[in-house]
Amino acid sequence: MTDLPEQGHFALFALPVRFRLDEAALAAAWRTLQAQFHPDRAAHLSAVEQRRALQWATRINEAYNVLRDPLARAAHVLELNGVPLDLERNAAMPPEFLMQQMQWREALEEARTDAGALDALAREVAAAAQAQQDALARACDDQQDYAAAAQWLRRLHFTERLRAEIGRVRTAQDC
Amino acid sequence: MAYSEKVLDHYENPRNVGSFDKSDEHVGTGMVGAPACGDVMKLQIKVNEAGVIEDACFKTYGCGSAIASSSLVTEWVKGKSIEEALAIKNSQIAEELALPPVKIHCSVLAEDAIRAAVDDYRKKQAGGEEQ
């Protein structure tokens, strides 16, 4: 099994290293590779060849899952461009941004028993997440400003976490 | 994940939850967040004329360890001078709460929150003198 090429997961699917993704091209390339390296197709081969096929199938799926997930894909693009995201090291976030997060969390607390308010909050946060993704795409793909892209990605992590939380509250309301 | 008894105690009976008036010149507000887990923490201190932290409160949206870390910190900073509060280290918080390695960043967040609150207070004081 070869090492991860310099172009990372993108090279595997012959896709350019960028955040904006041609989803159809990824899916098509994945299906082609999947068919090629599927363990069933190696059933008649030697044990060594079979293991190799399995390793490739695993590798292909790992790469596919990273590229399909916008947050993981963005982190991967940044890493390939020498700007690892390093979320664990507590990156300072702008106070206004944190204040907004705090307000949304408070709004979510209040919306626990109010389906209408929850819908409104969900729409607002979804729009914010979309705006952050757009800004990330511009910084990353158009301006090659990876430090700025990392900052947008960190914001997006907060917003996606909040959206997941909203989803949990909504599920609880529906029960 | 198993929380320590001290974390559970702070989580179930958080101390000093609430908010002070952000525009009060004696109040310092520290806002911090951890992108890795999406936690948001607000720590506020109320400082008297002698430079002693009279009161503190917090509001944290996050896991039990983040809530416990900020709750504990509000207890610790009360009655301390600003300098003494700044001397509080995340390792002390982590040790007191017996945080596991994966939750150390919660104690880092709480330490950062103290610093942010003090910075905000000092900024306000410096601004007030200039006027």
Side-chain angles (χ1 to χ4, degrees), chain A residues 17-45:
Chain A
V17 178
R18 39 182 273 163
F19 176 64
R20 291 192 188 94
L21 177 73
D22 182 343
E23 286 175 36
L26 172 64
W30 175 69
R31 274 194 300 273
T32 307
L33 283 176
Q34 258 281 347
Q36 200 177 331
F37 288 100
H38 197 279
D40 287 354
R41 293 194 52 139
H44 63 286
L45 299 174

Side-chain angles (χ1 to χ4, degrees), chain B residues 3-11 15 68 95-98:
Chain B
Y3 284 121
S4 71
E5 264 178 45
K6 277 179 179 162
V7 169
L8 282 176
D9 178 35
H10 278 278
Y11 181 65
R15 332 290 202 257
E95 192 183 342
E96 172 72 17
L97 295 173

Side-chain angles (χ1 to χ4, degrees), chain A residues 72-163:
Chain A
R73 181 171 71 249
H76 187 51
V77 172
L78 293 180
E79 194 187 351
L80 292 174
N81 283 287
V83 184
L85 191 57
D86 210 2
L87 281 177
E88 284 299 327
R89 296 177 72 157
N90 183 32
M93 302 299 294
E96 321 81 63
F97 172 79
L98 292 169
M99 205 62 87
Q100 171 72 79
Q101 290 293 316
M102 195 60 94
Q103 277 165 11
W104 277 336
R105 297 290 183 143
E106 285 166 359
L108 179 58
E109 287 297 306
E110 282 161 20
R112 271 182 198 280
T113 51
D114 183 343
L118 188 65
D119 281 342
L121 178 66
R123 275 195 300 275
E124 190 184 339
V125 174
Q130 187 59 55
Q132 286 165 352
Q133 271 210 34
D134 293 346
L136 169 58
R138 279 194 300 276
C140 194
D141 296 345
D142 302 340
Q143 294 152 3
Q144 280 82 45
D145 183 347
Y146 300 111
Q151 185 64 12
W152 284 112
L153 182 51
R154 280 192 281 272
R155 289 176 185 231
L156 202 49
H157 268 271
F158 282 94
T159 314
E160 288 303 332
R161 184 55 69 108
L162 179 62
R163 285 178 77 183

Side-chain angles (χ1 to χ4, degrees), chain B residues 92-107:
Chain B
Q92 297 167 281
I93 301 166
E95 192 183 342
E96 172 72 17
L97 295 173
L99 296 181
V102 292
K103 291 293 176 180
I104 296 297
H105 70 272
C106 297
S107 63

Side-chain angles (χ1 to χ4, degrees), chain B residues 32-110:
Chain B
V32 290
C37 50
D39 289 0
V40 206
M41 186 181 286
K42 179 175 80 176
L43 177 74
Q44 292 186 296
I45 52 172
K46 199 176 265 180
V47 186
N48 68 16
E49 301 298 336
V52 172
I53 298 170
E54 265 182 350
D55 207 356
C57 65
F58 82 97
K59 207 163 196 184
T60 292
Y61 291 97
C63 66
S65 300
I67 291 169
S69 295
S70 35
S71 171
L72 174 70
V73 156
T74 58
E75 282 195 320
W76 276 3
V77 298
K78 268 198 222 182
K80 282 194 163 69
S81 70
I82 285 177
E83 280 69 27
E84 287 167 342
L86 285 175
I88 295 173
K89 289 279 162 282
N90 85 283
S91 52
Q92 297 167 281
I93 301 166
E95 192 183 342
E96 172 72 17
L97 295 173
L99 296 181
V102 292
K103 291 293 176 180
I104 296 297
H105 70 272
C106 297
S107 63
V108 175
L109 209 55

